[in-house]
Amino acid sequence: MGNRLSQIATRTGDDGSTGLSDGSRVPKTHLRVQAMGDVDELNSNLGLLLAEPLPDDVRDLLVTIQHELFNLGGELSWPGGELLKEAAVLRLDEALEHYNEHLPRLKEFILPAGTRSAAIAHVCRTIARRAERAVIQVAAAETVRAAPRQYLNRLSDLLFVLARVLNRANLDGLGGDDVYWQSERMKRLDAAEN
């Protein structure tokens, strides 16, 4: 990772290829490049989430996650390299346990809605799932360590939990609770209670 960007418009990708960190060039449609793009999109959307009012502890966690995602993307761009540390996966496990312990148990599915910050967290969650699937596709064709896949899997779970936390934080005054899916079961229960 000794190369640093000194010039953004190099025109070397005009032929539809891009350079990896090991100096090799691959088509921009390569599975590895697609996975890198999904991780970049996830990180960009986390930046959007960070532009919202957030509890300080959630903000600090998301900033750390952005740095770790940069490591993950760097590792994807470096075949055979290792940048994402195992401790990053453990950090997500600890955050999941911490934030989930204060939430009520779910009795029904929830919709990706509520406060703006919660809705953006749900968008990030779905992008994390797509990035995870992309990394799995790369790993089916090439050697990829387990940590990037595990990290994205944990992160999507954490983003679901954080969306619930952000709805309860209600920093924009538009939330306060999860938005529950009104399934037929819920409709019958509501009708029986009334």
Side-chain angles (χ1 to χ4, degrees), residues 49-189:
L49 178 55
L50 282 162
E52 295 293 318
L54 299 171
D56 289 340
D57 59 326
V58 172
R59 180 173 303 284
D60 291 344
L61 175 61
L62 292 175
V63 168
T64 298
I65 289 169
Q66 278 200 304
H67 286 276
E68 290 170 342
L69 283 173
F70 220 80
N71 288 339
L72 194 158
E75 183 169 324
L76 289 173
S77 77
W78 183 21
E82 180 179 330
L83 293 173
L84 183 71
K85 304 301 180 201
E86 302 289 335
V89 177
L90 295 175
R91 231 182 330 275
L92 293 185
D93 282 331
E94 290 167 0
L96 263 166
E97 186 176 329
H98 168 73
Y99 288 103
N100 208 25
E101 75 180 333
H102 302 292
L103 292 172
R105 292 186 62 132
L106 287 174
K107 296 180 181 153
E108 189 61 72
F109 290 106
I110 62 170
L111 299 178
T115 65
R116 181 175 165 82
S117 60
I120 294 171
H122 278 296
V123 170
C124 292
R125 171 185 58 80
T126 64
I127 298 169
R129 285 286 184 217
R130 179 170 15 104
E132 179 188 9
R133 290 189 302 271
V135 169
I136 290 168
Q137 285 184 308
V138 174
E142 305 176 32
T143 302
V144 176
R145 292 181 329 112
R149 183 189 71 248
Q150 293 167 346
Y151 188 86
L152 291 166
N153 183 43
R154 297 303 189 294
L155 180 55
S156 62
D157 291 342
L158 177 60
L159 288 165
F160 178 86
V161 169
L162 288 178
R164 297 186 69 208
V165 168
L166 293 172
N167 267 335
R168 281 163 181 74
N170 196 21
L171 296 179
D172 64 5
L174 300 175
D177 197 5
D178 298 311
V179 179
Y180 291 95
W181 174 49
Q182 295 298 311
S183 68
E184 290 303 314
R185 176 176 164 260
M186 291 296 290
K187 288 178 186 174
R188 284 194 303 274
L189 288 174

